[in-house]
Amino acid sequence: MPMPRFFAAACFCAALLAPSAAGVEGKWTPQQVLELDPAWLRQLGLQLPPERLWDPRRGAGLLSAAVNIGGCSAGFVSETGLILTNHHCLFSVLQEHSTPQRDLMTHGFLARSPEEELPGRTTRVTVPRRFTDVTKAVLEAVPAGATDLQRYEAIERRQKELVAECERQPGTRCRVAVFDGGVQYVLIESFELSDVRLVYAPPRAIGEFGGEIDNWMWPRHTGDFALARAYKDGKPYRPEFWLPISRDGVRPGDFVMVLGYPGRTVRSLTAAEMALQRDGFFALRARIYGEWIQLLEQATKGSRDGEIAVASTLKSLHNVVKNAQGQMAGLARGRILEKQAEQEKEVEAWAAQRPEWRPAIEARRELDRRAGERRRTMLRDFLFQSIPNGPIALRHATQLVRLAAERARPDMEREPDYMERELPRLRARLERDQKSFYRPADEALMRSWLRHALALPEGARIRAVDAAFRNAPLEQAVAQLYAGTKVTALEERMKMFGETVEQLRARRDPLLDFAFALEEELRAFDRAQKEHEGAASRLRPAWRRAVMAHAGRPMAPDANGTLRVSFAHVKGYSPREAVEYLPQTTLAGMLEKHTGEEPFALPKSLLEAAARVDPAQVPLNFLADADTTGGNSGSPTVNGRGELVGLNFDRVWENVANDFGYNPAIARNVNVDIRFFLWLLEHVDHADGLLKELGIRR
Ligand code: GLU
């Protein structure tokens, strides 16, 4: 077979595959997109010159229409600051504004005028502006002979300096992103918009049609979209780039690109580290968060206030638990760890023949040895790491205690999360959380957290928990803790936000006192994490460079929450023997699933509008073979001309474990078809004003 031209050329060419033959692995950075062979991209289906996607000199391009919205992705879709993202990405804003009398989560929301739009108190949008490779500057900061902890601290300090310098420009938000554990460091400069208001969300019965039964599944019929608007200085923000909506739709085989902010993948871990990620993270998530779901449901039964309070937490726990189960099932089914181990052997054999690559072998072994060591404390470590997702009162108490201590230090010496630049966010969060607090539910989570801590094996116990709870009947002890603390009272908590360590101690608040006792062990845990990160930043690049040199082709780095592009085609797949899935669903399939019982209970307004059309002509969801992960929720899916054809919102069950390894046969992401969104706005919600703003109506 003759070699394709793009492979023969000495270019940065991504795939060795004919465009339509199989999926293209890779969440490419904007810089990498410019280094890929333009002829290959054309062959895939890109009709724009790659420089239209990103122009590094101007710090802009079509990619700057793809923005980050609180851990999700989104796209500007009008010159008046409208942002389209997933329903599940803005669900917490609906929850924030819902009451039993005005239940926006259930009924959805449409602002008929700008005054009606609903601010999300903690919702922020960042628009990318500049990416600068700072690897040299970061690594130069590490002193010769540094221990791993010193190495970590030196890198962190340099990162803080670079960020501080970058954020001197007003309205700018910067970060130094680490690629593949230290192969590259990139300073990312973004423009931040902190006034973001909800404009439109369909009823939950549409935005989340199929609920947890259909989540991570195909065939799918979910209207997972919502609209927000960004404001600047009180006026709608006017983005330089926004995505025009295509009315043409997609057909099987069409080229599409997914633009967004994939959160975290772990393909660059070694097989032993992957096994630890499975056992010490996903397995525990499935077990402990699965238990928390049941506790939250039981504790709020019969109380609409309680249900509204925990709705957002519960939804995200459900999502991560099913994800964790999918990761584990996919790892086993795809023999991903075994394949990774086989590949490691190959690379090692290759490196052993080449003196310059031999140190890579030792680096990988040390990573493995460290993974073995970390196994011993994995349950305790998970409990520490779960505090942000667990009992709200415990999260707040530990944050307040940490904040008071950190505030006493110069800004540059603080933990990054407690630097001045973070405090407005922390404050907003401490305030906003009140809406999600429901004492019986929180007490139940607290009891569970403590019960797990009390069951830890010798050698990995939490002394503060033992001291306070080992000999006490848990039910009573937790009830007393909540009865005695003021951390859960909004006004008092906001006072605590400004207090010193001495002031907090003088309060003699039982929960704060417990957090003070816990703090020493949390600090020790953080130190151990840093030491490990420091070691990994030394070892992983050494190993990964060998893997890349052995592969002899460019590889996109693991997801790290930074802007990426994935090239794909609309395509079905075979989930198991003798079954073929088609890539497109329509309103007809949604109606077929409608039983009238949640989560398959469509609102009357939709059923009436559906009766007036041929539902098989209303496209709803489609599959593509894009390389995506969590964080890609809400990513604009655009065609080869850069026009919006859909929004990424999920992956299929067989593909959940692609965080560990990509398999073109089953790598499918699920998109909501923009034509369904338009149909809904037009025929169900009669949102004429919005349709005009979106350029659909005159
Ligand atoms: N439904 C997914 C989530 O919420 C979307 C992104 C993905 O993981 O594919 O995490």
Side-chain angles (χ1 to χ4, degrees):
M1 204 174 79
M3 208 175 253
R5 201 168 58 85
F6 56 82
F7 182 52
C11 65
F12 193 177
C13 38
L16 317 175
L17 308 154
S20 56
V24 182
E25 173 170 7
K27 302 171 180 73
W28 305 98
T29 67
Q31 189 55 42
Q32 281 182 315
V33 170
L34 299 176
E35 289 161 359
L36 292 166
D37 180 8
W40 176 67
L41 290 174
R42 251 196 323 276
Q43 210 178 333
L44 281 179
L46 179 65
Q47 295 174 43
L48 302 169
E51 317 79 73
R52 286 275 302 282
L53 294 181
W54 189 251
D55 177 351
R57 284 175 306 274
R58 284 195 57 219
L62 199 65
L63 288 182
S64 57
V67 297
N68 189 317
I69 184 164
C72 274
S73 307
F76 277 120
V77 285
S78 79
E79 58 186 354
T80 48
L82 283 178
I83 298 172
L84 188 59
T85 185
N86 290 151
H87 174 269
H88 77 265
C89 295
L90 291 175
F91 185 76
S92 69
V93 183
L94 289 166
Q95 187 257 348
E96 191 177 335
H97 290 276
S98 284
T99 60
Q101 295 72 36
R102 190 175 180 235
D103 184 350
L104 302 178
M105 293 185 293
T106 303
H107 303 299
F109 175 75
L110 172 61
R112 295 276 173 194
S113 70
E115 295 72 45
E116 284 179 20
E117 294 171 7
L118 300 172
R121 212 177 312 177
T122 52
T123 315
R124 284 175 160 79
V125 161
T126 51
V127 188
R129 202 156 55 188
R130 204 176 311 279
F131 302 84
T132 314
D133 188 330
V134 290
T135 312
K136 197 160 165 279
V138 168
L139 295 180
E140 268 171 12
V142 180
T147 63
D148 286 330
L149 184 59
Q150 288 163 343
R151 184 183 165 86
Y152 178 90
E153 285 168 347
I155 292 175
E156 187 183 76
R157 176 147 196 113
R158 180 54 54 89
Q159 287 175 316
K160 286 180 190 167
E161 289 163 357
L162 289 163
V163 166
E165 173 68 30
C166 177
E167 287 186 351
R168 280 205 195 143
Q169 311 158 73
T172 304
R173 186 86 184 159
C174 304
R175 70 176 272 215
V176 175
V178 185
F179 289 78
D180 281 350
V183 170
Q184 198 188 19
Y185 295 83
V186 175
L187 177 67
I188 301 176
E189 180 190 317
S190 306
F191 177 66
E192 182 172 76
L193 295 156
S194 53
D195 182 355
V196 183
R197 308 180 197 170
L198 181 71
V199 175
Y200 167 78
R204 191 166 189 175
I206 296 173
E208 206 183 305
F209 185 72
E212 277 312 308
I213 299 172
D214 272 9
N215 196 11
W216 305 105
M217 294 291 177
W218 187 259
R220 195 67 170 275
H221 303 86
T222 309
D224 198 347
F225 43 69
L227 271 175
R229 193 192 306 278
Y231 282 82
K232 185 169 180 285
D233 306 325
K235 295 197 202 70
Y237 175 68
R238 303 186 79 87
E240 187 185 347
F241 286 88
W242 48 276
L243 303 164
I245 291 177
S246 161
R247 305 219 63 181
D248 298 345
V250 288
R251 273 164 294 275
D254 278 2
F255 170 78
V256 288
M257 294 180 276
V258 175
L259 323 175
Y261 296 79
R264 179 159 192 251
T265 56
V266 289
R267 293 178 196 167
S268 64
L269 297 190
T270 69
E273 290 177 310
M274 286 182 176
L276 176 62
Q277 182 75 5
R278 177 192 59 196
D279 304 336
F281 185 69
F282 287 118
L284 295 178
R285 260 191 166 185
R287 180 155 71 85
I288 295 176
Y289 291 3
E291 185 186 312
W292 290 358
I293 288 173
Q294 289 190 346
L295 292 173
L296 291 182
E297 282 173 350
Q298 280 160 16
T300 54
K301 209 173 228 137
S303 158
R304 193 57 197 144
D305 282 315
E307 283 171 354
I308 290 176
V310 306
S312 209
T313 314
L314 199 54
K315 184 170 158 66
S316 80
L317 285 175
H318 269 299
N319 189 46
V320 298
V321 165
K322 199 163 174 192
N323 172 286
Q325 289 160 344
Q327 302 270 3
M328 293 189 293
L331 276 172
R333 186 176 191 247
R335 296 185 59 257
I336 295 177
L337 300 192
E338 292 81 347
K339 285 183 192 157
Q340 186 78 343
E342 283 158 25
Q343 198 226 2
E344 283 168 11
K345 270 203 199 115
E346 251 177 57
V347 176
E348 282 205 10
W350 173 89
Q353 306 300 317
R354 293 164 176 79
E356 73 277 24
W357 289 113
R358 246 172 248 155
I361 302 177
E362 195 33 52
R364 187 191 65 81
R365 293 195 181 151
E366 197 179 334
L367 285 169
D368 285 1
R369 192 179 51 69
R370 291 185 152 267
E373 269 169 24
R374 286 190 298 146
R375 250 178 203 278
R376 284 197 302 227
T377 55
M378 68 185 188
L379 184 53
R380 188 205 60 187
D381 295 353
F382 181 81
L383 286 180
F384 283 152
Q385 284 165 330
S386 74
I387 292 177
N389 301 317
I392 294 175
L394 181 61
R395 183 204 313 157
H396 287 169
T398 51
Q399 283 174 327
L400 289 165
V401 161
R402 179 69 59 99
L403 170 66
E406 292 295 313
R407 229 201 213 124
R409 311 164 79 167
D411 197 38
M412 288 298 272
E413 282 165 37
R414 295 187 199 169
E415 292 293 335
D417 288 350
Y418 295 87
M419 291 173 73
E420 286 301 320
R421 64 194 284 275
E422 294 295 341
L423 298 192
R425 286 159 197 266
L426 183 58
R427 188 172 216 294
R429 189 73 210 275
L430 283 172
E431 223 177 324
R432 192 258 175 252
D433 279 346
Q434 198 64 18
K435 184 73 195 182
S436 300
F437 180 76
Y438 182 66
R439 185 166 150 189
D442 215 57
E443 282 191 28
L445 293 194
M446 186 72 171
R447 284 194 299 272
S448 164
W449 191 88
L450 290 169
R451 209 169 277 126
H452 284 290
L454 288 167
L456 286 169
E458 281 313 322
R461 296 189 64 86
I462 304 174
R463 286 188 310 278
V465 172
D466 286 346
F469 298 96
R470 200 170 201 169
N471 300 314
L474 212 48
E475 192 90 18
Q476 224 175 309
V478 169
Q480 270 171 10
L481 201 61
Y482 277 73
T485 186
K486 294 268 189 317
V487 169
T488 55
L490 178 60
E491 246 176 69
E492 284 299 314
R493 182 163 73 245
M494 298 327 288
K495 275 191 216 150
M496 293 173 184
F497 182 79
E499 292 181 7
T500 62
V501 170
E502 292 68 34
Q503 285 171 313
L504 290 182
R505 280 204 187 272
R507 283 178 168 265
R508 303 207 161 275
D509 183 292
L511 186 58
L512 286 176
D513 287 347
F514 174 57
F516 273 116
L518 202 57
E519 175 68 350
E520 199 186 313
E521 287 163 278
L522 285 173
R523 290 267 187 194
F525 167 66
D526 286 352
R527 249 190 323 277
Q529 293 279 91
K530 289 177 182 181
E531 196 266 342
H532 174 70
E533 290 288 314
S537 75
R538 173 171 62 77
L539 302 166
R540 195 166 324 282
W543 170 244
R544 289 304 297 173
R545 285 203 189 92
V547 173
M548 287 187 253
H550 170 258
R553 64 181 162 85
M555 293 167 86
D558 258 326
N560 59 356
T562 62
L563 178 58
R564 306 293 180 93
V565 183
S566 170
F567 303 110
H569 294 89
V570 176
K571 203 170 177 181
Y573 74 110
S574 168
R576 57 190 171 273
E577 190 188 46
V579 180
E580 278 291 337
Y581 280 156
L582 299 177
Q584 179 85 54
T585 62
T586 67
L587 180 59
M590 188 186 222
L591 297 174
E592 212 169 85
K593 278 184 183 171
H594 168 76
T595 58
E597 293 227 350
E598 276 183 37
F600 299 102
L602 289 166
K604 215 164 124 241
S605 54
L606 182 137
L607 293 171
E608 283 168 5
R612 294 192 292 268
V613 292
D614 173 359
Q617 298 305 316
V618 182
L620 217 174
N621 290 166
F622 67 88
L623 290 177
D625 56 5
D627 188 356
T628 57
T629 186
N632 267 125
S633 288
S635 294
T637 303
V638 301
N639 62 20
R641 294 184 298 277
E643 299 158 343
L644 194 75
V645 290
L647 273 189
N648 175 76
F649 74 98
D650 210 1
R651 277 168 290 162
V652 298
W653 182 249
E654 295 75 17
N655 187 36
V656 176
N658 88 334
D659 288 359
F660 289 85
Y662 181 86
N663 177 353
I666 51 166
R668 297 294 178 275
N669 69 313
V670 189
N671 307 271
V672 52
D673 196 307
I674 205 67
R675 290 171 289 181
F676 182 67
F677 166 70
L678 296 178
W679 180 79
L680 207 65
L681 283 190
E682 196 164 349
H683 298 282
V684 181
D685 294 307
H686 310 290
D688 300 339
L690 281 180
L691 287 163
K692 269 191 206 140
E693 268 195 84
L694 294 168
I696 300 298
R697 281 245 185 96
R698 290 184 175 272

